[in-house]
Amino acid sequence: MKITAIDIYRGQSGKLHPILVRLRTDAGLEGWGEAGVAYGRGAAAAAGMIRDLAPLLLGREAGAIEAFLADCHDHTFWGKNGGTIVQAAASALEMAMWDLLGKELGVPVSRLMGGPVRDEMRCYANGWYEASQEPDDFARATERPLKDGYTALKFYPLGQMVGRNMRHVSHRQITREAADLAVARVRAVRDAVGPDVDLMLDLSGGVIAPEAIRLCERFAEYDIYFVEEPVDPADTAGLAEVARAVPMPVAGGERHYTREGFRPLFEARAVSIVQPDPGNTGGLLETKKIAAMAEAFGMLCAPHVCATPLSTEAALQVGATLPNFAIMELYPYFRHHDGWNAFVADPAEARVRDGHLRPSEAPGLGVEIDAAAIAPWFLETLE
């Protein structure tokens, strides 16, 4: 079964800017993938990069996944030590190849990757706080995910809401007032949810190591499951400094790419929980390899997801196969935003029960795509 055409889609769905690909084959099967840059800026560049990678894939056997990834790494020049855009484009195409292979063989991708080691996976809710600003706002906002059965919540104690959008800290050093507000937010959420709900705090790489340590020392009494990206993700030494100093696990990796990019984190023991995103770290297979490296270093893996339900389903497929899986990210309320495009039938975000998800057992990624719903997003076909 050879790949004969690549369709690229770029659109707007609520707050997100999805980039999707559809691979078509001479056997009549189709495979779908997504670049993991729907949040933030980079969609146009990822679409262009998919176009640039297309010659490496057209005419190739749909199951030649390792060979395709090797070509992306070795024969694009920028693939070596490549960052977000190169890897997001490769990830989208690789994801679609797995979808095709699973459909060809009639099995879910998790079966192709060694088989699941668990029937269901625990998830934490992100994005539940919406436009919360004051501590009391955060406390009230917890009612929604708790009612929906979530037993783990993540939020950004330093984030500032501008309308319905969050602006992350970018000053490296924060004021006493900002620190006090962050601590008050965490206290309010802990008081609201009680002792049995896990809390994760994302500092989004906004402060330097001494600032992060001071904050985490104040957060510690609220029993934090992990603190994510406490310093700039490029500052491996700073991450390690925080990891050694604070009493809660440090997580990171959503802005690291490929095994080579994660290697410094492992060697410095800069994190306890790695967070590769299957949509931008080099694909599902690369995510599994990163998780295996983490396992060898005694670390857990919590796949990162911040895109459409297509990416969620892909993360579930690979996450189910990881012996060192910890918990998975979910944005369950993106689908309620104005302008959301519900192009995925029965999305994972609607299947959560008691804070857990079961991956689809349908062939491939297990995703049914409404192509008509995304027809306005169509950019071009490459043949």
Side-chain angles (χ1 to χ4, degrees), residues 155-321:
F155 65 105
Y156 303 79
L158 293 175
Q160 298 297 315
M161 298 305 300
V162 180
R164 294 177 62 86
N165 296 311
M166 177 175 292
R167 184 174 180 84
H168 296 291
V169 172
S170 59
H171 299 302
R172 309 296 183 262
Q173 185 177 20
I174 58 175
T175 64
R176 168 61 67 175
E177 291 75 17
D180 289 346
L181 176 60
V183 174
R185 288 169 169 175
V186 176
R187 181 189 306 117
V189 171
R190 174 52 76 198
D191 288 346
V193 303
D196 297 327
V197 173
D198 284 317
L199 297 182
M200 298 83 161
L201 306 179
D202 193 341
L203 303 188
S204 198
V207 295
I208 60 175
E211 289 285 303
I213 291 169
R214 288 171 60 193
L215 266 177
C216 289
E217 287 174 344
R218 299 180 67 186
F219 293 150
E221 65 178 286
Y222 303 109
D223 188 20
I224 304 305
Y225 185 97
F226 65 66
V227 59
E228 181 175 337
E229 285 195 336
V231 303
D232 192 296
D235 183 8
T236 301
L239 280 170
E241 182 181 350
V242 175
R244 288 191 297 268
V246 302
M248 70 279 287
V250 170
E254 70 182 72
R255 289 184 278 193
H256 286 75
Y257 313 101
T258 75
R259 289 158 285 164
E260 293 82 2
F262 275 82
R263 179 178 171 179
L265 296 183
F266 299 138
E267 294 178 337
R269 294 197 173 272
V271 296
S272 300
I273 301 172
V274 297
Q275 299 172 296
D277 187 320
N280 67 30
T281 198
L284 277 67
L285 187 58
E286 194 70 14
T287 297
K288 187 169 177 65
K289 291 177 179 179
I290 290 165
M293 291 175 68
E295 185 181 10
F297 279 85
M299 299 173 181
L300 298 174
C301 183
H304 173 267
V305 178
C306 184
T308 76
L310 174 57
S311 286
T312 304
E313 296 288 0
L316 286 169
Q317 290 295 324
V318 66
T321 72

Side-chain angles (χ1 to χ4, degrees), residues 1 27 35-36 41 57 73 115 124 136 141 144 169 179 192 200 220 279 286 305 370:
M1 181 174 65
R41 300 178 186 272
L57 195 54
H73 183 269
Y124 64 83
D136 288 348
R144 186 182 194 183
V169 172
M200 298 83 161
E286 194 70 14
V305 178
D370 182 354

Side-chain angles (χ1 to χ4, degrees), residues 6 21 23 50 53-54 57 68 88-98:
I6 302 172
V21 296
L23 303 184
I50 290 170
L53 293 180
L57 195 54
F68 168 68
S91 297
L93 294 167
E94 187 257 17
M95 188 185 297
M97 293 177 78
W98 280 110

